[in-house]
């Protein structure tokens, strides 16, 4: 089996979304969007882990308010 990571895009959001206690919570931070390719002897599987379901349902509760 082989696993390989690819960057398929980038997201930019305020630093306070990514890290609690950020000194400048409004500063833009650019982060990669990875996917993983899993190869076995018989198949290839592309895995996109997506966003955490709690973040989709209630982003403020999941990430917290920027300081």
């Amino acid at each position: 089996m082989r696993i390989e990571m690819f960057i398929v895009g980038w997201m930019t959001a305020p630093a306070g979304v990514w890290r609690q206690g950020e000194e400048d919570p409004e500063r833009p931070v650019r982060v990669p969007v990875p996917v993983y390719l899993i190869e076995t002897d018989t198949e290839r599987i592309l895995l996109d882990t997506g966003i955490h379901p709690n973040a989709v349902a209630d982003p403020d509760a999941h990430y917290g308010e920027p300081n």
Side-chain angles (χ1 to χ4, degrees), residues 1-50:
M1 179 177 2
R2 186 176 116 170
I3 300 174
E4 193 168 348
M5 184 184 80
F6 296 95
I7 303 300
V8 295
W10 294 85
M11 293 189 304
T12 302
V17 169
W18 306 115
R19 294 185 290 263
Q20 294 273 333
E22 182 67 32
E23 191 171 305
D24 181 3
E26 294 303 316
R27 177 179 62 87
V29 173
R30 187 172 183 238
V31 297
V33 177
V35 298
Y36 301 88
L37 177 64
I38 303 167
E39 290 186 274
T40 70
D41 291 337
T42 59
E43 58 189 350
R44 288 188 216 151
I45 303 161
L46 187 63
L47 179 65
D48 176 359
T49 60

